Amino acid sequence: MDVRTHETMVTFDHPFRIRGTEGVLPAGTYRVVIDKEQILGLSFIAYRRMATMLHTPAVAAP
């Protein structure tokens, strides 16, 4: 199966929350990785998104 990975950087100007996570993430630049797989059986090449990952900074233990 053919899988494509695309990476980009996204900048947030303000602190933000993501539903399902604890706390507020600081403003800054984050890496976003998108994985797509090829849809087989079509008469043209097409891909569907499998996963989107936002890489956040590690939280230091107290």
Side-chain angles (χ1 to χ4, degrees):
M1 186 175 306
D2 187 19
V3 176
R4 286 184 173 184
T5 300
H6 176 75
E7 293 188 29
T8 188
M9 302 300 282
V10 176
T11 301
F12 294 94
D13 293 330
H14 305 283
F16 62 99
R17 292 181 192 269
I18 296 178
R19 189 179 330 146
T21 63
E22 295 183 22
V24 176
L25 294 168
T29 301
Y30 292 82
R31 183 169 64 119
V32 177
V33 179
I34 300 170
D35 289 340
K36 297 179 180 180
E37 68 178 350
Q38 186 175 1
I39 303 171
L40 301 175
L42 300 176
S43 60
F44 55 92
I45 297 174
Y47 291 83
R48 82 180 72 163
R49 186 179 311 189
M50 296 173 18
T52 302
M53 298 157 278
L54 174 70
H55 292 261
T56 57
V59 177

